[in-house]
Amino acid sequence: MRTLRIVNLLLLASIATAQAQLNLMPMPSTVQQGSGQWLIDRSFSVAVTGFHDASLEGGVQRFVAQLSRQTGIPFRTKAGSASPTLTIHAEHGRDQVQKLGEDESYELTIGSSGATLTAPTPLGILHGMETFLQLVQPSTTGFAVPVVTIKDQPRFPWRGLLIDVSRHFIPIEVLKRNLDGMAAVKMNVLHWHLSDDQGFRVESKRLPKLQEMGSEGLYYTQAEIRDFIAYAHDRGIRVIPEFDTPGHSRSWFLGYPELASSSGPFTLDADGPGSVTDPTREETYKFLDKFVDEMAKLFRDAYFHIGGDEVDGKYWDANPKIQAFKQAHGMKSNQDLQAYFNQRLQKILAKHHKTMIGWDEILRPDLPKTIVVQSWRGQQSLATAAQQGYSGLLSFGYYLDLMWPAARHYTIDPMSDAAATLSAEEKSRILGGEGCMWAEWVTPENIDSHIWPRNAVVAERLWSPQEVRDVDSMYTRLNAVSLHLETLGLTHRSARMHMLHRMAGPEDITPLRVLADVVEPVKDYTRWDDSKGPIDFHAPLIRMIDAVYPESDMARRFGKLVQTYIQSGYKDQAAEAQIKTFLIAWRDNDAKLHPLLGQSFLLQEVTPLSESLSAIGATGLQAVDYLDQSQPSPESWRTQQLALIDQAKARKADLLLMVVAAVQQLVESTGK
Amino acid sequence: MRTLRIVNLLLLASIATAQAQLNLMPMPSTVQQGSGQWLIDRSFSVAVTGFHDASLEGGVQRFVAQLSRQTGIPFRTKAGSASPTLTIHAEHGRDQVQKLGEDESYELTIGSSGATLTAPTPLGILHGMETFLQLVQPSTTGFAVPVVTIKDQPRFPWRGLLIDVSRHFIPIEVLKRNLDGMAAVKMNVLHWHLSDDQGFRVESKRLPKLQEMGSEGLYYTQAEIRDFIAYAHDRGIRVIPEFDTPGHSRSWFLGYPELASSSGPFTLDADGPGSVTDPTREETYKFLDKFVDEMAKLFRDAYFHIGGDEVDGKYWDANPKIQAFKQAHGMKSNQDLQAYFNQRLQKILAKHHKTMIGWDEILRPDLPKTIVVQSWRGQQSLATAAQQGYSGLLSFGYYLDLMWPAARHYTIDPMSDAAATLSAEEKSRILGGEGCMWAEWVTPENIDSHIWPRNAVVAERLWSPQEVRDVDSMYTRLNAVSLHLETLGLTHRSARMHMLHRMAGPEDITPLRVLADVVEPVKDYTRWDDSKGPIDFHAPLIRMIDAVYPESDMARRFGKLVQTYIQSGYKDQAAEAQIKTFLIAWRDNDAKLHPLLGQSFLLQEVTPLSESLSAIGATGLQAVDYLDQSQPSPESWRTQQLALIDQAKARKADLLLMVVAAVQQLVESTGK
């Protein structure tokens, strides 16, 4: 055995040559690989020694059930097996309400005939069991885990995922399977964005008009929430509620218009009048005190998110009473007014034993240093907060709704850029980060594919050593974890088939899948532009853009192939053959797809995209012919093809053809 | 509009040319197609007029939710919409306990701006809503249903599916999704095979050792059963319990060995001693009376299945007391003794207001004419029963565990063969039939794929007019219904991907899928032979044979292509090109698959199969070359190839390569 501390890309590469890479995500902090493996067969059994409670027992049962699902071996959890093959030992229990910074470390030692998993508390045991499950693979002699010693702990104590359930309501069972996914990649915070302009999603018994008038009937009961929090706790996940205020709060005003800074009547439809909370009325704070009192008991975590982002000051500017208040209190700006509001709200939270979190905009030196600032703006504001003594979380760069490739999220580190130059003490204030799933364009049907597998790389960034950043290794492991997540019940891969058939009917959709495989949704906030008016959140999300994966694996693989081919000086015959196979399939696809496209209102918009793919396929084939014959192409041909490529790059049906860039490289190479 | 009564294959063909075939399964008894369609958009709403109760309301809510899933339009069920677009009207309520022969008819009239669904009772409404859902398709202008008038009712009143939960326990949630599938194809009886040698699956409070010692903890509680029966009732499905006795009853004897005809100790493992119930002791009948008393209250249906099949007489022959009893009562055979047992048991059932059902073997003239005989042996025993005045059900030909293609089940009709010559009165005693899913080789993971979509053709056989029997039409509609069933939550298509990845690990499994697409499990009871000893029901079912579909669509399509090509005199260039594309893919597949096969203990057995596919692909290509060039092949070549084809036909890894026959046709054609 040799000791391995994963420190950098080079070392990772050297492991890959020496031993098969372990398909783990997030990569543990230290891995000692041995030789040989332990066969998982029907003799497998588990014993829990040391600390013991119902939650840990439930975790072990889920572990065995999942091992059963993965291997197909019908294990029965037998109490007190005579010679257990996996021994699980936690030193002591967990806190009843999971705390920030609780010890999550574990040690997993796998020998050739058994394994031991130890941890200070069940939190580490939960993480270690997930590692174990990711290690199980078929071998030549049976299902097996490799002989290995893993000592593991997280880099950051706060590794979260935000799910917005206001823009589109997401039912509890969908959230639960996402908790299962989070647990599998060792995330420990679900940030539940429970209210926004488009809906208030929590039952309040003391202020019932919040959900009665603000949710169209789509909200979680308190019983459901309690059950959900317990479900998360059993998986080592804290649940932080966010009630966004004073902006993003129109849904509150349907039931309680007196909270608003302007007059209604308010509706949840985007085309009705907007508003923001009136911070000048004492009644507002009485309301919030009553509200926080109730919610603080329901949500047990010590942290409470008040949003605080993107307050539209025009509603304050237009209200003479609010203007008078500002003047009377010597406030120079709406930022001053919001700071006043936040101070009042922070005192209410403190009274109910909650620590305030808010987005960048809440950062003002007059707030106590206990609060946490969550940055959607970038490492700079995180660094500024840390310098001022505030704790911070990074979400900039982790917005899963922006349709970035995994590699782009992966490169973003909470300690990079402005944060890199902080002192050690300042750095310690950076608690971690959160992937964010804003729900403008997701439904229960496709939210999984918008979160997974990409969220797993955010999880790795926040758990694994900073030096773990090899992109090829990441994609190999991401593919494995993606399949693993589907066995847990997530539908990020499988839902696409149903969505494509919805568009095409029961016909053979192979050519539609060929097209879907090479496109991605447009990026950032370009899907919608305000000239179209407000987004209709009741519209079905059933277009091609809603069905496809945010990242095209096929395009990435094709791009790699083209690189290999070009770098070989067009000599790599295997690469050339594969490239041609792809290009021929694309060139010929439109003819096969055309009959389908004509039949369905949902596919008509895709016609130009399909035609472009066909054209690009033909262009690529011609380019490869020139390259293969070592014959430069005529300039006129290149000019013509590059014009065609420019057209192919243009968005169509809000989609991008992701293989165009690689074909362009081929075409440009023919001129050299 | 023109009136259409579906009467025969020719007429069906004429519709196909005149109008697109409706993707309905089972095909309704009458269909009047009009012109045009009704667009299903956000304005869609439902009103229930006439009879109204919670069960119907639940059904309408499920219908709207499913319409939402199919279209992606987020419908909200609004009570009392001003101008409903779909009006649902039931004349009166259903029986509290669904009866055999209750009116299930309905009329569905769809115009260009709305629809009406009427029925005598909510049973017909349930069926009509399923028809409506199957009609929804994307059109050029939006989701739509065609303008049509359907008047529909079943051919047989008893359309069932047997699910064996003894050999492998199937959890309630898996059964529930299968109920959803049954409702979608208008089946109305779940025959629940609850006990057998390998497990007793029902909680008895009065005889608790039945489940405590006879189930390994895998049984349904009475609360679960009540909930399940209510779930089924809401979907128009009766639940008939089967407790198999006096044979197939070893699991009873673990807790109550005194019931057995021989001594134990008994275990659930197949290698322990077997036995059958002792029909000579009065205590046996006291036990059964107590048991039936409890179960008759739990299972509300009027029918109660006592099994009665395959009684192994050797246990009676070996018991001197039983021999003495037979002699004392003048019984000449074990059949006489079983008849005595059945008479006693029938009286117990009658006392508890239940009608007895049993398999062929119970048929004896000394039983009252009220009993029902279920035939696994064939139409002959069904006809004999009908002639003797007994009611009957056909299951012969509908055994889904035999891995037959859908077309083979489809051709079998309860009224054919021996039954065809019965008098009208005798025919009226044939109540219908049941698909049977015996569970020797299924688990919760793959039971869906062993039942669906093939069970839908049994459902059509039992619902639709006898003349509906065009196989091409059936397969087209079966494909549509298969996709539809997956949107209901069944996993018959999607589970395969997980199972293939379990065998292969996270690598790209495309070549494994290519192989899986052209194989089928061996047929009938040939998977296991007794020389291997008893089946181990605790062994994992994770081989290739467990993952593949019982029927290869790809092989069927390839066979059709080859027919077309041969019939064209080898002139059909399009068919030839498609045939060659398939053959090339198969020829080249082994090289791609080989690295995967070597890595996994589960795939090693598949190697010869993959090699055969490759060889067959090469052979087929050579044959097409001869045919294309109108050049007869040398006889030596044919001899050699036909030898190779013989090898390729042989089972490997308990699988059959289903494309061999068509390649053989190509090869043989080269000699003509």
Side-chain angles (χ1 to χ4, degrees), chain B residues 50 54 56 78 89 128 158 175 200 225 240 250 252 257 335 408 423 530 572 579 603 606 613 649:
Chain B
L56 177 58
K78 294 159 240 154
H89 186 97
W158 189 303
L175 294 177
F200 188 95
I225 290 167
I240 314 281
R250 193 177 64 229
W252 307 49
Q335 284 71 36
R408 188 165 169 195
S423 72
D530 292 340
D572 187 329
I579 289 169
L603 289 175
V606 173
L613 179 62
K649 277 184 177 171

Side-chain angles (χ1 to χ4, degrees), chain A residues 195-197 242-253 259-262 274-280 284-285 288 305-313 315-316 322 334-343 345 356-359 361-362:
Chain A
S195 70
D196 211 301
D197 291 335
E242 176 182 352
F243 296 101
D244 207 344
T245 182
H248 288 284
S249 54
R250 192 178 65 230
S251 62
W252 309 48
F253 308 148
L259 293 173
S261 301
S262 54
S275 197
V276 299
T277 302
D278 183 347
T280 66
T284 296
Y285 300 103
L288 287 171
H305 204 301
I306 59 102
D309 56 319
E310 300 183 314
V311 184
D312 192 341
Y315 300 104
W316 290 344
I322 293 176
N334 285 334
Q335 285 71 35
D336 290 346
L337 182 56
Q338 189 182 353
Y340 164 81
F341 176 78
N342 288 340
Q343 281 180 290
L345 183 51
M356 184 162 106
I357 322 180
W359 297 100
E361 289 93 326
I362 71 160

Side-chain angles (χ1 to χ4, degrees), chain B residues 147-178:
Chain B
V147 170
V148 71
T149 298
I150 290 171
K151 296 184 189 181
D152 201 8
Q153 84 249 348
R155 180 173 165 221
F156 292 106
W158 189 303
R159 305 174 308 280
L161 171 63
L162 174 150
I163 301 183
D164 168 12
V165 297
S166 177
R167 271 62 171 245
H168 283 94
F169 182 69
I170 306 296
I172 283 281
E173 69 269 19
V174 177
L175 294 177
K176 280 187 174 174
R177 70 185 185 224
N178 277 282

Side-chain angles (χ1 to χ4, degrees), chain A residues 42 69 139 502 506 536 601, chain B residues 42 69-70 139 502 601:
Chain A
R42 286 159 74 175
R69 246 193 312 277
S139 77
R502 173 188 292 143
D536 173 4
F601 71 112
Chain B
R42 287 159 75 175
R69 245 191 315 276
Q70 287 180 219
S139 76
R502 173 188 292 143
F601 71 112

Side-chain angles (χ1 to χ4, degrees), chain B residues 21 47 234 239 250 322 349 360 393 403 423 430 473 550 657:
Chain B
Q21 173 179 260
D234 283 342
V239 175
R250 193 177 64 229
I322 293 175
L349 291 177
D360 307 66
L393 297 169
M403 304 288 101
S423 72
I430 297 182
S473 158
L657 210 47

Side-chain angles (χ1 to χ4, degrees), chain A residues 23 42 68-74 76 137-143 215-218 445 476 479-480 483 486-487 493-494 497-498 501-508 513 536-542 557 598-602 604, chain B residues 23 42 68-74 76 137-143 215-218 445 476 479-480 483 486-487 493-494 497-498 501-508 513 536-542 557 598-602 604:
Chain A
N23 274 326
R42 286 159 74 175
S68 221
R69 246 193 312 277
Q70 286 180 222
T71 60
I73 305 171
R76 226 38 74 65
Q137 293 295 340
S139 77
T140 52
T141 46
F143 289 107
S215 76
E216 297 178 298
L218 298 173
E445 180 175 55
T476 302
N479 175 56
L483 289 165
E486 278 249 336
T487 71
R493 293 167 74 105
S494 52
M497 199 271 285
H498 298 298
H501 271 297
R502 173 188 292 143
M503 292 187 266
E507 334 266 312
D508 179 8
R513 226 176 45 213
D536 173 4
F537 290 103
H538 294 97
L541 296 180
I542 53 178
R557 282 161 51 200
Q599 286 170 30
S600 166
F601 71 112
L602 289 167
Q604 284 154 2
Chain B
N23 274 325
R42 287 159 75 175
S68 220
R69 245 191 315 276
Q70 287 180 219
T71 60
I73 306 171
R76 224 44 69 67
Q137 293 296 339
S139 76
T140 52
T141 45
F143 290 106
S215 76
E216 298 178 297
L218 298 173
E445 180 175 56
T476 303
N479 174 56
L483 289 165
E486 279 250 335
T487 70
R493 292 166 74 105
S494 53
M497 200 269 287
H498 299 298
H501 272 296
R502 173 188 292 143
M503 293 188 264
E507 335 265 313
D508 178 7
R513 227 175 45 213
D536 173 4
F537 290 104
H538 294 97
L541 297 180
I542 54 179
R557 281 162 51 199
Q599 286 169 29
S600 166
F601 71 112
L602 289 167
Q604 284 154 3

Side-chain angles (χ1 to χ4, degrees), chain B residues 9 18 30 58 81 116 147 210 225 258 284 339 360 373 402 429 440 540 561 614:
Chain B
L9 201 146
T30 68
S81 179
T116 310
V147 170
L210 283 170
I225 290 167
E258 64 275 19
T284 297
D360 307 66
V373 177
L402 300 187
R429 296 188 188 119
E440 277 84 352
L561 265 178
S614 226

